[in-house]
């Protein structure tokens, strides 16, 4: 609701009348939200590691032997990092929708894309169920247009001490940044 509320209250006009471009306003809003999320996520990660450290210190040895990875394994920060990239993408989606719709509609559309993004792999495999139907082309197009949110979810892998390669982190980050750039540019436009 950041952009739409300012347009609704007409406070954006006093801001745009200054030597500030529309792109600077939208990108500034985006970066401010990303910084807020980064601070919140950092605080939550510190508290999470503190709780895990406390659990590791207080639990019995036979209980700790069942863990796949140590409680305070720094490799879990890879999951936190990809959650941050995913949240940056969600912020870009929400900001894009808030530039032309109401806060409620923006929230609904953002949530819808978030959920659809988690099931986009099912869209790719949908052609097996429908065969040569024209629906197959629609679902394939949706698969390539919708952001794939499932690729950011590596929580199970890091908790079970499965490797998450640096190359995967880089390609997933690049994927997310490409979508972010397109969405913020569309929001500016």
């Amino acid at each position: 609701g950041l952009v739409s509320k300012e347009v609704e209250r007409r406070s954006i006009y006093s801001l745009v009348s200054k030597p500030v471009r529309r792109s600077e306003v939208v990108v500034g809003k985006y970066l401010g939200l990303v910084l807020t999320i980064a601070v919140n996520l950092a605080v939550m990660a510190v508290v999470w590691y503190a709780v895990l450290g406390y659990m590791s210190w207080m639990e019995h040895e036979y209980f700790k032997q069942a863990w796949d990875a140590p409680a305070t394994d720094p490799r879990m920060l890879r999951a936190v990092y990809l959650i941050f990239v995913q949240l940056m993408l969600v912020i870009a989606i929400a900001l894009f929708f808030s530039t032309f719709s109401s806060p409620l509609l923006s929230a609904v559309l953002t949530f819808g894309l978030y959920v659809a993004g988690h099931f986009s792999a099912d869209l790719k495999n949908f052609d097996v169920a429908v065969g040569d139907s024209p629906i197959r082309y629609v679902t394939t197009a949706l698969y390539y247009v919708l952001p794939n949110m499932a690729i950011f979810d590596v929580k199970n892998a890091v908790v079970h001490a499965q490797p998450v390669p640096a190359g995967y982190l880089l390609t997933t980050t690049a994927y997310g940044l490409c979508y972010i750039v397109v969405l913020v540019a569309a929001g500016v436009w």
Side-chain angles (χ1 to χ4, degrees):
L2 285 175
V3 177
S4 62
K5 285 183 182 177
E6 288 192 16
V7 170
E8 185 178 299
R9 289 184 286 177
R10 301 191 192 286
S11 61
I12 191 112
Y13 297 123
S14 63
L15 183 64
V16 177
S17 68
K18 310 259 188 284
V20 177
R21 287 176 278 190
R22 178 184 353 191
S23 61
E24 293 171 342
V25 171
V26 174
V27 171
K29 294 282 186 186
Y30 175 75
L31 292 177
L33 281 170
V34 166
L35 181 63
T36 302
I37 292 296
V39 169
N40 285 333
L41 195 59
V43 169
M44 287 191 290
V46 167
V47 170
W48 180 46
Y49 268 91
V51 168
L52 289 174
Y54 176 76
M55 284 179 58
S56 175
W57 182 56
M58 294 300 292
E59 289 299 332
H60 296 290
E61 202 57 42
Y62 67 89
F63 184 73
K64 287 192 255 184
Q65 290 174 354
W67 295 350
D68 292 329
T72 56
D73 189 2
R75 291 178 293 182
M76 289 191 290
L77 289 175
R78 293 177 180 209
V80 173
Y81 170 73
L82 286 181
I83 288 170
F84 176 64
V85 175
Q86 182 182 31
L87 289 173
M88 287 175 28
L89 179 57
V90 171
I91 290 169
I93 293 168
L95 185 69
F96 168 71
F97 285 132
S98 74
T99 58
F100 63 85
S101 64
S102 70
L104 180 62
L105 184 59
S106 297
V108 168
L109 292 172
T110 302
F111 181 72
L113 268 181
Y114 176 78
V115 170
H118 276 285
F119 295 110
S120 67
D122 293 337
L123 288 172
K124 184 175 177 135
N125 299 328
F126 198 68
D127 62 343
V128 173
V130 295
D132 287 334
S133 172
I135 296 173
R136 173 179 158 208
Y137 300 110
V138 173
T139 58
T140 303
L142 282 174
Y143 170 75
Y144 287 110
V145 171
L146 294 176
N148 186 357
M149 297 289 190
I151 64 171
F152 299 104
D153 188 13
V154 294
K155 294 183 291 284
N156 287 334
V158 297
V159 167
H160 294 292
Q162 297 171 352
V164 178
Y168 183 82
L169 291 175
L170 288 174
T171 56
T172 305
T173 301
Y175 175 83
L177 290 178
C178 287
Y179 264 102
I180 289 167
V181 167
V182 167
L183 286 166
V184 171
V188 167
W189 180 72

